[in-house]
Amino acid sequence: MNQDQLKLAVAQAALRHVPDGRIIGVGTGSTVDFFIDALATIRHRVRATVSSSQRSTERLRAHGFEVLDLNAVDNVPVYVDGADEIDPGGSMIKGGGGALTREKIIAEVAERFICIVDASKLVPRLGRFPLPVEVVPMARELVRRRLVALGGAPRLRDGFVTDNGNQILDVHGLSIDDPRALETQINQIPGVVTVGLFAHRGADLALVGSAEGIDARSFG
Ligand code: 5RP
């Protein structure tokens, strides 16, 4: 199976975790694109959606889903999203697609975070994938210096502007021993909008696709 076939398989497997008649939180990325297409096959069972990016909103609307403002929603029973890396405790690096801020907001509201990945995203320790940090543009150099002091090598994601009008620094060279502590530490830097460490609110369930099939891993 190639990587796209694995993404399709985990996307389809996630449908089993979609409750009837409820609002579904939808993440961003190529794996989630497969999930949105799969969700369209059971559209009659989905009341509405909330979306973590313009990209996913457009795809959802093209399939005829209603996309609600999160402020109009009390409860999101399930949020389905991909990840760039996931560790054995369910902590993740996210934001490769640049949607980390809205992803983190919906993840916080959601009762259950279901992470859909192929097995290449499983790592014993986070940090091989450059850690995305969304920054207010005027704070970019301040944040860059602070990230260097933490041992990282930040690089501006050139020509990229987030859905929130901000920039992204991709931090290379971090070996993340304590994801929660680092998430807290980076959140303290003025001008940081969101760090792509999802450790305080990690995944509740990961569906991991490999040549052997789908492995479901529960956390916490
Ligand atoms: C977007 C994300 C994605 O979940 C992450 O980048 C994984 O994407 P893909 O499914 O394309 O590998 O965090 O901001």
PDB file of all heavy atoms in Angstrom, residues 3 7 27-33 52-53 55 79 81-85 93-101 103 113 116-118 121 129 132 157 168 196 198, ligand 1:
ATOM      1  N   GLN A   3       1.345   5.563   0.491  1.00  0.00           N
ATOM      2  CA  GLN A   3       0.943   6.429   1.604  1.00  0.00           C
ATOM      3  C   GLN A   3      -0.486   6.955   1.440  1.00  0.00           C
ATOM      4  O   GLN A   3      -1.236   7.055   2.414  1.00  0.00           O
ATOM      5  CB  GLN A   3       1.932   7.588   1.720  1.00  0.00           C
ATOM      6  CG  GLN A   3       2.059   8.069   3.141  1.00  0.00           C
ATOM      7  CD  GLN A   3       3.039   9.222   3.287  1.00  0.00           C
ATOM      8  OE1 GLN A   3       3.530   9.764   2.305  1.00  0.00           O
ATOM      9  NE2 GLN A   3       3.307   9.594   4.517  1.00  0.00           N
ATOM     10  N   LYS A   7      -3.611   6.633   3.993  1.00  0.00           N
ATOM     11  CA  LYS A   7      -4.398   7.790   4.454  1.00  0.00           C
ATOM     12  C   LYS A   7      -5.893   7.554   4.218  1.00  0.00           C
ATOM     13  O   LYS A   7      -6.734   7.859   5.069  1.00  0.00           O
ATOM     14  CB  LYS A   7      -3.948   9.066   3.730  1.00  0.00           C
ATOM     15  CG  LYS A   7      -2.569   9.551   4.160  1.00  0.00           C
ATOM     16  CD  LYS A   7      -2.127  10.773   3.369  1.00  0.00           C
ATOM     17  CE  LYS A   7      -0.721  11.175   3.754  1.00  0.00           C
ATOM     18  NZ  LYS A   7      -0.245  12.368   3.078  1.00  0.00           N
ATOM     19  N   GLY A  27     -10.339  18.696  10.913  1.00  0.00           N
ATOM     20  CA  GLY A  27      -8.998  19.263  10.866  1.00  0.00           C
ATOM     21  C   GLY A  27      -8.586  19.672   9.467  1.00  0.00           C
ATOM     22  O   GLY A  27      -9.435  20.012   8.625  1.00  0.00           O
ATOM     23  N   THR A  28      -7.285  19.619   9.228  1.00  0.00           N
ATOM     24  CA  THR A  28      -6.726  20.113   7.962  1.00  0.00           C
ATOM     25  C   THR A  28      -5.573  19.222   7.515  1.00  0.00           C
ATOM     26  O   THR A  28      -4.801  18.743   8.354  1.00  0.00           O
ATOM     27  CB  THR A  28      -6.193  21.550   8.150  1.00  0.00           C
ATOM     28  OG1 THR A  28      -7.286  22.399   8.529  1.00  0.00           O
ATOM     29  CG2 THR A  28      -5.569  22.097   6.868  1.00  0.00           C
ATOM     30  N   GLY A  29      -5.444  19.056   6.202  1.00  0.00           N
ATOM     31  CA  GLY A  29      -4.290  18.334   5.664  1.00  0.00           C
ATOM     32  C   GLY A  29      -4.719  17.300   4.631  1.00  0.00           C
ATOM     33  O   GLY A  29      -5.906  17.133   4.351  1.00  0.00           O
ATOM     34  N   SER A  30      -3.727  16.616   4.095  1.00  0.00           N
ATOM     35  CA  SER A  30      -4.035  15.653   3.029  1.00  0.00           C
ATOM     36  C   SER A  30      -4.793  14.446   3.577  1.00  0.00           C
ATOM     37  O   SER A  30      -5.673  13.905   2.890  1.00  0.00           O
ATOM     38  CB  SER A  30      -2.737  15.214   2.341  1.00  0.00           C
ATOM     39  OG  SER A  30      -1.837  14.667   3.286  1.00  0.00           O
ATOM     40  N   THR A  31      -4.493  14.025   4.804  1.00  0.00           N
ATOM     41  CA  THR A  31      -5.228  12.894   5.384  1.00  0.00           C
ATOM     42  C   THR A  31      -6.667  13.307   5.669  1.00  0.00           C
ATOM     43  O   THR A  31      -7.614  12.548   5.407  1.00  0.00           O
ATOM     44  CB  THR A  31      -4.539  12.414   6.682  1.00  0.00           C
ATOM     45  OG1 THR A  31      -3.127  12.340   6.462  1.00  0.00           O
ATOM     46  CG2 THR A  31      -5.049  11.039   7.098  1.00  0.00           C
ATOM     47  N   VAL A  32      -6.835  14.523   6.162  1.00  0.00           N
ATOM     48  CA  VAL A  32      -8.187  15.021   6.429  1.00  0.00           C
ATOM     49  C   VAL A  32      -8.967  15.212   5.123  1.00  0.00           C
ATOM     50  O   VAL A  32     -10.183  15.006   5.096  1.00  0.00           O
ATOM     51  CB  VAL A  32      -8.131  16.319   7.268  1.00  0.00           C
ATOM     52  CG1 VAL A  32      -9.481  17.021   7.286  1.00  0.00           C
ATOM     53  CG2 VAL A  32      -7.694  15.994   8.686  1.00  0.00           C
ATOM     54  N   ASP A  33      -8.292  15.575   4.046  1.00  0.00           N
ATOM     55  CA  ASP A  33      -9.006  15.656   2.753  1.00  0.00           C
ATOM     56  C   ASP A  33      -9.673  14.305   2.439  1.00  0.00           C
ATOM     57  O   ASP A  33     -10.826  14.256   1.999  1.00  0.00           O
ATOM     58  CB  ASP A  33      -8.050  16.031   1.620  1.00  0.00           C
ATOM     59  CG  ASP A  33      -7.700  17.518   1.617  1.00  0.00           C
ATOM     60  OD1 ASP A  33      -8.374  18.299   2.329  1.00  0.00           O
ATOM     61  OD2 ASP A  33      -6.754  17.897   0.895  1.00  0.00           O
ATOM     62  N   SER A  52     -11.242  23.737  10.678  1.00  0.00           N
ATOM     63  CA  SER A  52     -10.018  24.367  11.196  1.00  0.00           C
ATOM     64  C   SER A  52      -9.263  25.180  10.150  1.00  0.00           C
ATOM     65  O   SER A  52      -8.179  25.694  10.447  1.00  0.00           O
ATOM     66  CB  SER A  52      -9.095  23.283  11.755  1.00  0.00           C
ATOM     67  OG  SER A  52      -8.722  22.417  10.712  1.00  0.00           O
ATOM     68  N   SER A  53      -9.812  25.314   8.946  1.00  0.00           N
ATOM     69  CA  SER A  53      -9.094  26.095   7.922  1.00  0.00           C
ATOM     70  C   SER A  53     -10.015  26.459   6.766  1.00  0.00           C
ATOM     71  O   SER A  53     -11.049  25.817   6.550  1.00  0.00           O
ATOM     72  CB  SER A  53      -7.919  25.285   7.362  1.00  0.00           C
ATOM     73  OG  SER A  53      -8.414  24.121   6.725  1.00  0.00           O
ATOM     74  N   ARG A  55      -9.155  25.953   3.772  1.00  0.00           N
ATOM     75  CA  ARG A  55      -9.012  24.806   2.859  1.00  0.00           C
ATOM     76  C   ARG A  55     -10.069  23.736   3.150  1.00  0.00           C
ATOM     77  O   ARG A  55     -10.768  23.265   2.252  1.00  0.00           O
ATOM     78  CB  ARG A  55      -7.602  24.235   3.032  1.00  0.00           C
ATOM     79  CG  ARG A  55      -7.391  22.860   2.442  1.00  0.00           C
ATOM     80  CD  ARG A  55      -5.996  22.360   2.741  1.00  0.00           C
ATOM     81  NE  ARG A  55      -5.851  20.957   2.375  1.00  0.00           N
ATOM     82  CZ  ARG A  55      -4.686  20.354   2.224  1.00  0.00           C
ATOM     83  NH1 ARG A  55      -3.576  21.009   2.402  1.00  0.00           N
ATOM     84  NH2 ARG A  55      -4.630  19.066   1.890  1.00  0.00           N
ATOM     85  N   TYR A  79     -13.524  15.436  17.193  1.00  0.00           N
ATOM     86  CA  TYR A  79     -12.685  16.213  16.274  1.00  0.00           C
ATOM     87  C   TYR A  79     -11.722  15.238  15.598  1.00  0.00           C
ATOM     88  O   TYR A  79     -11.015  14.487  16.271  1.00  0.00           O
ATOM     89  CB  TYR A  79     -11.896  17.270  17.053  1.00  0.00           C
ATOM     90  CG  TYR A  79     -10.918  18.070  16.223  1.00  0.00           C
ATOM     91  CD1 TYR A  79     -11.341  18.787  15.115  1.00  0.00           C
ATOM     92  CD2 TYR A  79      -9.562  18.107  16.547  1.00  0.00           C
ATOM     93  CE1 TYR A  79     -10.446  19.524  14.354  1.00  0.00           C
ATOM     94  CE2 TYR A  79      -8.663  18.846  15.797  1.00  0.00           C
ATOM     95  CZ  TYR A  79      -9.111  19.553  14.701  1.00  0.00           C
ATOM     96  OH  TYR A  79      -8.232  20.283  13.943  1.00  0.00           O
ATOM     97  N   ASP A  81      -8.518  14.804  13.036  1.00  0.00           N
ATOM     98  CA  ASP A  81      -7.435  15.562  12.406  1.00  0.00           C
ATOM     99  C   ASP A  81      -6.203  14.670  12.250  1.00  0.00           C
ATOM    100  O   ASP A  81      -6.072  13.636  12.918  1.00  0.00           O
ATOM    101  CB  ASP A  81      -7.096  16.803  13.261  1.00  0.00           C
ATOM    102  CG  ASP A  81      -6.341  17.871  12.474  1.00  0.00           C
ATOM    103  OD1 ASP A  81      -6.019  17.654  11.290  1.00  0.00           O
ATOM    104  OD2 ASP A  81      -6.075  18.940  13.061  1.00  0.00           O
ATOM    105  N   GLY A  82      -5.313  15.085  11.379  1.00  0.00           N
ATOM    106  CA  GLY A  82      -4.044  14.390  11.183  1.00  0.00           C
ATOM    107  C   GLY A  82      -2.988  14.926  12.126  1.00  0.00           C
ATOM    108  O   GLY A  82      -3.270  15.682  13.060  1.00  0.00           O
ATOM    109  N   ALA A  83      -1.738  14.531  11.884  1.00  0.00           N
ATOM    110  CA  ALA A  83      -0.610  15.043  12.679  1.00  0.00           C
ATOM    111  C   ALA A  83       0.656  14.873  11.850  1.00  0.00           C
ATOM    112  O   ALA A  83       0.715  14.047  10.931  1.00  0.00           O
ATOM    113  CB  ALA A  83      -0.483  14.287  13.996  1.00  0.00           C
ATOM    114  N   ASP A  84       1.655  15.673  12.205  1.00  0.00           N
ATOM    115  CA  ASP A  84       2.968  15.530  11.559  1.00  0.00           C
ATOM    116  C   ASP A  84       3.823  14.505  12.297  1.00  0.00           C
ATOM    117  O   ASP A  84       4.635  13.818  11.683  1.00  0.00           O
ATOM    118  CB  ASP A  84       3.658  16.894  11.494  1.00  0.00           C
ATOM    119  CG  ASP A  84       2.832  17.877  10.680  1.00  0.00           C
ATOM    120  OD1 ASP A  84       2.569  17.574   9.502  1.00  0.00           O
ATOM    121  OD2 ASP A  84       2.402  18.906  11.222  1.00  0.00           O
ATOM    122  N   GLU A  85       3.633  14.436  13.613  1.00  0.00           N
ATOM    123  CA  GLU A  85       4.277  13.391  14.430  1.00  0.00           C
ATOM    124  C   GLU A  85       3.363  13.107  15.612  1.00  0.00           C
ATOM    125  O   GLU A  85       2.693  14.016  16.117  1.00  0.00           O
ATOM    126  CB  GLU A  85       5.626  13.870  15.001  1.00  0.00           C
ATOM    127  CG  GLU A  85       6.749  13.941  14.012  1.00  0.00           C
ATOM    128  CD  GLU A  85       8.095  14.292  14.647  1.00  0.00           C
ATOM    129  OE1 GLU A  85       8.145  14.724  15.817  1.00  0.00           O
ATOM    130  OE2 GLU A  85       9.108  14.164  13.947  1.00  0.00           O
ATOM    131  N   ILE A  93       3.091  16.790  17.166  1.00  0.00           N
ATOM    132  CA  ILE A  93       3.456  18.019  16.449  1.00  0.00           C
ATOM    133  C   ILE A  93       2.466  18.165  15.314  1.00  0.00           C
ATOM    134  O   ILE A  93       2.215  17.214  14.568  1.00  0.00           O
ATOM    135  CB  ILE A  93       4.900  17.969  15.909  1.00  0.00           C
ATOM    136  CG1 ILE A  93       5.896  18.123  17.060  1.00  0.00           C
ATOM    137  CG2 ILE A  93       5.124  19.073  14.866  1.00  0.00           C
ATOM    138  CD1 ILE A  93       7.353  18.148  16.620  1.00  0.00           C
ATOM    139  N   LYS A  94       1.875  19.367  15.224  1.00  0.00           N
ATOM    140  CA  LYS A  94       0.933  19.677  14.160  1.00  0.00           C
ATOM    141  C   LYS A  94       1.262  21.064  13.596  1.00  0.00           C
ATOM    142  O   LYS A  94       1.964  21.839  14.207  1.00  0.00           O
ATOM    143  CB  LYS A  94      -0.503  19.664  14.684  1.00  0.00           C
ATOM    144  CG  LYS A  94      -0.946  18.261  15.082  1.00  0.00           C
ATOM    145  CD  LYS A  94      -2.402  18.180  15.520  1.00  0.00           C
ATOM    146  CE  LYS A  94      -3.350  18.936  14.659  1.00  0.00           C
ATOM    147  NZ  LYS A  94      -3.302  18.591  13.215  1.00  0.00           N
ATOM    148  N   GLY A  95       0.709  21.335  12.422  1.00  0.00           N
ATOM    149  CA  GLY A  95       0.897  22.650  11.837  1.00  0.00           C
ATOM    150  C   GLY A  95       1.697  22.642  10.549  1.00  0.00           C
ATOM    151  O   GLY A  95       1.987  23.694   9.994  1.00  0.00           O
ATOM    152  N   GLY A  96       2.031  21.430  10.074  1.00  0.00           N
ATOM    153  CA  GLY A  96       2.717  21.338   8.782  1.00  0.00           C
ATOM    154  C   GLY A  96       1.918  22.022   7.685  1.00  0.00           C
ATOM    155  O   GLY A  96       2.478  22.603   6.750  1.00  0.00           O
ATOM    156  N   GLY A  97       0.590  21.997   7.820  1.00  0.00           N
ATOM    157  CA  GLY A  97      -0.280  22.662   6.848  1.00  0.00           C
ATOM    158  C   GLY A  97      -0.596  24.097   7.235  1.00  0.00           C
ATOM    159  O   GLY A  97      -1.340  24.782   6.529  1.00  0.00           O
ATOM    160  N   GLY A  98      -0.076  24.535   8.376  1.00  0.00           N
ATOM    161  CA  GLY A  98      -0.228  25.931   8.776  1.00  0.00           C
ATOM    162  C   GLY A  98      -1.519  26.264   9.494  1.00  0.00           C
ATOM    163  O   GLY A  98      -1.790  27.434   9.769  1.00  0.00           O
ATOM    164  N   ALA A  99      -2.308  25.249   9.834  1.00  0.00           N
ATOM    165  CA  ALA A  99      -3.630  25.524  10.420  1.00  0.00           C
ATOM    166  C   ALA A  99      -3.653  25.300  11.934  1.00  0.00           C
ATOM    167  O   ALA A  99      -4.714  25.148  12.531  1.00  0.00           O
ATOM    168  CB  ALA A  99      -4.681  24.642   9.743  1.00  0.00           C
ATOM    169  N   LEU A 100      -2.457  25.320  12.560  1.00  0.00           N
ATOM    170  CA  LEU A 100      -2.346  24.888  13.957  1.00  0.00           C
ATOM    171  C   LEU A 100      -3.230  25.653  14.927  1.00  0.00           C
ATOM    172  O   LEU A 100      -3.765  25.071  15.880  1.00  0.00           O
ATOM    173  CB  LEU A 100      -0.889  24.924  14.406  1.00  0.00           C
ATOM    174  CG  LEU A 100      -0.123  26.249  14.363  1.00  0.00           C
ATOM    175  CD1 LEU A 100       1.139  26.120  15.202  1.00  0.00           C
ATOM    176  CD2 LEU A 100       0.287  26.627  12.957  1.00  0.00           C
ATOM    177  N   THR A 101      -3.419  26.962  14.709  1.00  0.00           N
ATOM    178  CA  THR A 101      -4.174  27.750  15.697  1.00  0.00           C
ATOM    179  C   THR A 101      -5.635  27.320  15.745  1.00  0.00           C
ATOM    180  O   THR A 101      -6.171  27.018  16.819  1.00  0.00           O
ATOM    181  CB  THR A 101      -4.045  29.253  15.378  1.00  0.00           C
ATOM    182  OG1 THR A 101      -2.668  29.610  15.539  1.00  0.00           O
ATOM    183  CG2 THR A 101      -4.899  30.094  16.314  1.00  0.00           C
ATOM    184  N   GLU A 103      -6.816  24.593  14.639  1.00  0.00           N
ATOM    185  CA  GLU A 103      -6.849  23.178  15.052  1.00  0.00           C
ATOM    186  C   GLU A 103      -6.824  23.065  16.565  1.00  0.00           C
ATOM    187  O   GLU A 103      -7.569  22.282  17.166  1.00  0.00           O
ATOM    188  CB  GLU A 103      -5.655  22.437  14.444  1.00  0.00           C
ATOM    189  CG  GLU A 103      -5.742  22.312  12.929  1.00  0.00           C
ATOM    190  CD  GLU A 103      -4.515  21.719  12.274  1.00  0.00           C
ATOM    191  OE1 GLU A 103      -3.442  21.684  12.904  1.00  0.00           O
ATOM    192  OE2 GLU A 103      -4.621  21.287  11.117  1.00  0.00           O
ATOM    193  N   PHE A 113     -10.568  13.764  20.621  1.00  0.00           N
ATOM    194  CA  PHE A 113      -9.676  14.072  19.494  1.00  0.00           C
ATOM    195  C   PHE A 113      -9.254  12.735  18.887  1.00  0.00           C
ATOM    196  O   PHE A 113      -8.581  11.942  19.548  1.00  0.00           O
ATOM    197  CB  PHE A 113      -8.470  14.855  20.004  1.00  0.00           C
ATOM    198  CG  PHE A 113      -7.534  15.370  18.926  1.00  0.00           C
ATOM    199  CD1 PHE A 113      -7.014  16.648  19.022  1.00  0.00           C
ATOM    200  CD2 PHE A 113      -7.162  14.594  17.835  1.00  0.00           C
ATOM    201  CE1 PHE A 113      -6.150  17.146  18.054  1.00  0.00           C
ATOM    202  CE2 PHE A 113      -6.306  15.078  16.865  1.00  0.00           C
ATOM    203  CZ  PHE A 113      -5.796  16.348  16.968  1.00  0.00           C
ATOM    204  N   ILE A 116      -5.743  10.784  12.890  1.00  0.00           N
ATOM    205  CA  ILE A 116      -5.638   9.795  11.808  1.00  0.00           C
ATOM    206  C   ILE A 116      -4.285   9.987  11.094  1.00  0.00           C
ATOM    207  O   ILE A 116      -4.010  11.046  10.557  1.00  0.00           O
ATOM    208  CB  ILE A 116      -6.837   9.884  10.823  1.00  0.00           C
ATOM    209  CG1 ILE A 116      -7.089  11.321  10.330  1.00  0.00           C
ATOM    210  CG2 ILE A 116      -8.100   9.330  11.465  1.00  0.00           C
ATOM    211  CD1 ILE A 116      -8.172  11.420   9.245  1.00  0.00           C
ATOM    212  N   VAL A 117      -3.479   8.944  11.151  1.00  0.00           N
ATOM    213  CA  VAL A 117      -2.125   9.032  10.587  1.00  0.00           C
ATOM    214  C   VAL A 117      -1.725   7.716   9.939  1.00  0.00           C
ATOM    215  O   VAL A 117      -2.245   6.658  10.286  1.00  0.00           O
ATOM    216  CB  VAL A 117      -1.069   9.361  11.684  1.00  0.00           C
ATOM    217  CG1 VAL A 117      -1.152  10.798  12.157  1.00  0.00           C
ATOM    218  CG2 VAL A 117      -1.172   8.408  12.871  1.00  0.00           C
ATOM    219  N   ASP A 118      -0.765   7.808   9.032  1.00  0.00           N
ATOM    220  CA  ASP A 118      -0.101   6.586   8.607  1.00  0.00           C
ATOM    221  C   ASP A 118       1.097   6.363   9.529  1.00  0.00           C
ATOM    222  O   ASP A 118       1.522   7.273  10.244  1.00  0.00           O
ATOM    223  CB  ASP A 118       0.310   6.670   7.127  1.00  0.00           C
ATOM    224  CG  ASP A 118       1.340   7.747   6.899  1.00  0.00           C
ATOM    225  OD1 ASP A 118       2.513   7.512   7.235  1.00  0.00           O
ATOM    226  OD2 ASP A 118       0.975   8.835   6.405  1.00  0.00           O
ATOM    227  N   LYS A 121       4.180   8.565  10.784  1.00  0.00           N
ATOM    228  CA  LYS A 121       4.070   9.691  11.715  1.00  0.00           C
ATOM    229  C   LYS A 121       4.360   9.293  13.169  1.00  0.00           C
ATOM    230  O   LYS A 121       4.436  10.153  14.036  1.00  0.00           O
ATOM    231  CB  LYS A 121       2.665  10.306  11.648  1.00  0.00           C
ATOM    232  CG  LYS A 121       2.187  10.682  10.242  1.00  0.00           C
ATOM    233  CD  LYS A 121       2.908  11.874   9.711  1.00  0.00           C
ATOM    234  CE  LYS A 121       2.414  12.374   8.376  1.00  0.00           C
ATOM    235  NZ  LYS A 121       1.076  12.924   8.356  1.00  0.00           N
ATOM    236  N   PHE A 129      10.352  16.314  13.019  1.00  0.00           N
ATOM    237  CA  PHE A 129       9.618  17.242  12.157  1.00  0.00           C
ATOM    238  C   PHE A 129       9.769  18.648  12.745  1.00  0.00           C
ATOM    239  O   PHE A 129       9.592  18.844  13.951  1.00  0.00           O
ATOM    240  CB  PHE A 129       8.133  16.851  12.113  1.00  0.00           C
ATOM    241  CG  PHE A 129       7.347  17.601  11.071  1.00  0.00           C
ATOM    242  CD1 PHE A 129       7.213  17.093   9.785  1.00  0.00           C
ATOM    243  CD2 PHE A 129       6.756  18.830  11.374  1.00  0.00           C
ATOM    244  CE1 PHE A 129       6.495  17.795   8.818  1.00  0.00           C
ATOM    245  CE2 PHE A 129       6.042  19.538  10.410  1.00  0.00           C
ATOM    246  CZ  PHE A 129       5.915  19.012   9.136  1.00  0.00           C
ATOM    247  N   PRO A 132       6.222  23.861  14.116  1.00  0.00           N
ATOM    248  CA  PRO A 132       5.665  25.138  13.646  1.00  0.00           C
ATOM    249  C   PRO A 132       5.241  26.022  14.825  1.00  0.00           C
ATOM    250  O   PRO A 132       4.647  25.544  15.789  1.00  0.00           O
ATOM    251  CB  PRO A 132       4.428  24.715  12.840  1.00  0.00           C
ATOM    252  CG  PRO A 132       4.603  23.244  12.579  1.00  0.00           C
ATOM    253  CD  PRO A 132       5.342  22.728  13.774  1.00  0.00           C
ATOM    254  N   ARG A 157       8.694  30.380   7.461  1.00  0.00           N
ATOM    255  CA  ARG A 157       8.037  29.694   6.327  1.00  0.00           C
ATOM    256  C   ARG A 157       7.771  30.761   5.267  1.00  0.00           C
ATOM    257  O   ARG A 157       6.827  31.549   5.379  1.00  0.00           O
ATOM    258  CB  ARG A 157       6.750  29.013   6.783  1.00  0.00           C
ATOM    259  CG  ARG A 157       6.278  27.950   5.803  1.00  0.00           C
ATOM    260  CD  ARG A 157       5.044  27.215   6.266  1.00  0.00           C
ATOM    261  NE  ARG A 157       5.242  26.391   7.445  1.00  0.00           N
ATOM    262  CZ  ARG A 157       4.316  25.600   7.967  1.00  0.00           C
ATOM    263  NH1 ARG A 157       3.116  25.528   7.386  1.00  0.00           N
ATOM    264  NH2 ARG A 157       4.582  24.886   9.050  1.00  0.00           N
ATOM    265  N   ILE A 168       4.664  31.937  10.147  1.00  0.00           N
ATOM    266  CA  ILE A 168       5.058  30.707  10.849  1.00  0.00           C
ATOM    267  C   ILE A 168       6.575  30.587  10.853  1.00  0.00           C
ATOM    268  O   ILE A 168       7.235  30.757   9.815  1.00  0.00           O
ATOM    269  CB  ILE A 168       4.404  29.466  10.204  1.00  0.00           C
ATOM    270  CG1 ILE A 168       2.903  29.481  10.527  1.00  0.00           C
ATOM    271  CG2 ILE A 168       5.056  28.174  10.710  1.00  0.00           C
ATOM    272  CD1 ILE A 168       2.142  28.252  10.146  1.00  0.00           C
ATOM    273  N   GLY A 196       2.848  24.546  17.714  1.00  0.00           N
ATOM    274  CA  GLY A 196       2.266  23.317  17.166  1.00  0.00           C
ATOM    275  C   GLY A 196       2.530  22.068  17.974  1.00  0.00           C
ATOM    276  O   GLY A 196       2.503  20.958  17.427  1.00  0.00           O
ATOM    277  N   PHE A 198       0.943  19.701  20.582  1.00  0.00           N
ATOM    278  CA  PHE A 198      -0.369  19.367  21.134  1.00  0.00           C
ATOM    279  C   PHE A 198      -0.127  18.308  22.206  1.00  0.00           C
ATOM    280  O   PHE A 198      -0.261  17.098  21.951  1.00  0.00           O
ATOM    281  CB  PHE A 198      -1.301  18.839  20.034  1.00  0.00           C
ATOM    282  CG  PHE A 198      -1.837  19.893  19.102  1.00  0.00           C
ATOM    283  CD1 PHE A 198      -0.992  20.739  18.395  1.00  0.00           C
ATOM    284  CD2 PHE A 198      -3.209  20.026  18.908  1.00  0.00           C
ATOM    285  CE1 PHE A 198      -1.496  21.707  17.526  1.00  0.00           C
ATOM    286  CE2 PHE A 198      -3.732  20.986  18.045  1.00  0.00           C
ATOM    287  CZ  PHE A 198      -2.871  21.837  17.361  1.00  0.00           C
TER     288      PHE A 198
HETATM  289  C1  5RP B   1      -2.125  20.952   9.391  1.00  0.00           C
HETATM  290  C2  5RP B   1      -1.777  19.780  10.232  1.00  0.00           C
HETATM  291  C3  5RP B   1      -1.909  18.437   9.617  1.00  0.00           C
HETATM  292  O1  5RP B   1      -2.713  17.648  10.425  1.00  0.00           O
HETATM  293  C4  5RP B   1      -0.560  17.807   9.497  1.00  0.00           C
HETATM  294  O2  5RP B   1       0.301  18.693   8.795  1.00  0.00           O
HETATM  295  C5  5RP B   1      -0.633  16.463   8.773  1.00  0.00           C
HETATM  296  O3  5RP B   1      -0.970  16.686   7.438  1.00  0.00           O
HETATM  297  P1  5RP B   1      -1.048  15.513   6.371  1.00  0.00           P
HETATM  298  O4  5RP B   1      -2.252  14.709   6.693  1.00  0.00           O
HETATM  299  O5  5RP B   1      -1.126  16.235   5.044  1.00  0.00           O
HETATM  300  O6  5RP B   1       0.240  14.714   6.498  1.00  0.00           O
HETATM  301  O7  5RP B   1      -1.413  19.884  11.370  1.00  0.00           O
HETATM  302  O8  5RP B   1      -1.867  22.164  10.046  1.00  0.00           O
END
